[in-house]
Amino acid sequence: SIFSSHRSAPRERIAEDLSQALDERAENPDLIIGYDLVDEEDKEHTNLFFINEILAARHKAELRNITLPLYLHSGESNWTENANVLDAILLDARRIGHGIALLKHPLLMQMVKDRGIAIEVCPISNQVLGFVADLRNHPAVLYINSGLPVVICPDDPGIWKCTFSYDFYAAFMAWGLDLKCLKQLAMNSLIYSAMDPEEKERALEYWRKKWAEFINWLNEYNH
């Protein structure tokens, strides 16, 4: 799981959360894979607001010979002034949650592509919350066509009452995705996961086997 803190919290609370996240990751690195900041970005504190606390936690992690990867909700906004995506990139975030504001910054898009930072796209959540009125105009279409690492995510399935498959279906219907693109998006979920390299390879091997079985079934069904 990813240890999450609320952006609305004061710096002192974030420092405490980061310390707890480090302790839990040190005790069970396979259970706690990283740290995130959540909450409505346009109303609450930015990534930069907590920069001292984040950098201090990173230094403490190095002293303890552990890591605390960042998986930051950033750019869940339609504001050009939203700088959270930039700071997430500079902080070497493994993945960026939502990343809608990235659309307005071509240079940052290229940096995300070059560094292999995955964008966690949440179609249904983005539409329900009003960030994208028409899913056909979702910036993820540009990200995918530009070769950025994109993964489809359900955001808060317990709240929206929909699962991972619903977001894939919404993306498929709205973005004109073909079977090849759906295959890559599904593989991205494994490639940009927090699994270690050996786990990823085993998971991808199993997935490719199941995909081949699916394609064989599809060919037989069509005949």
Side-chain angles (χ1 to χ4, degrees), residues 87-108:
D87 293 319
I89 295 171
L90 295 178
L91 285 167
D92 296 321
R94 298 277 185 89
R95 300 197 304 257
I96 292 175
H98 297 284
I100 298 170
L102 185 65
L103 171 72
K104 300 177 174 64
H105 305 283
L107 178 59
L108 297 185

Side-chain angles (χ1 to χ4, degrees), residues 47-64:
N47 292 340
L48 186 61
F49 183 80
F50 300 114
I51 189 66
N52 291 334
E53 290 70 30
I54 293 173
L55 293 180
R58 176 169 292 172
H59 179 62
K60 292 177 181 177
E62 291 175 355
L63 293 176
R64 299 174 66 173

Side-chain angles (χ1 to χ4, degrees), residues 110-170:
Q110 188 61 46
M111 291 175 68
V112 164
K113 182 178 180 179
D114 293 342
R115 298 188 183 190
I117 302 172
I119 305 299
E120 302 169 349
V121 175
C122 310
I124 293 176
S125 171
N126 294 158
Q127 187 173 46
V128 171
L129 294 178
F131 292 107
V132 179
D134 188 331
L135 283 183
R136 291 173 296 182
N137 296 323
H138 197 290
V141 178
L142 174 62
Y143 301 161
I144 293 171
N145 291 337
S146 299
L148 274 65
V150 169
V151 294
I152 304 297
C153 302
D155 199 12
D156 300 305
I159 296 176
W160 307 133
K161 304 299 181 183
C162 60
T163 64
F164 188 75
S165 298
Y166 286 78
D167 282 277
F168 253 90
Y169 179 75

Side-chain angles (χ1 to χ4, degrees), residues 1 20-34 64 66-68:
S1 62
Q20 182 181 346
L22 283 174
D23 289 341
E24 293 186 11
R25 178 157 170 77
E27 182 178 350
N28 196 337
D30 292 330
L31 179 62
I32 302 298
I33 64 170
R64 299 174 66 173
I66 60 176
T67 61
L68 187 64

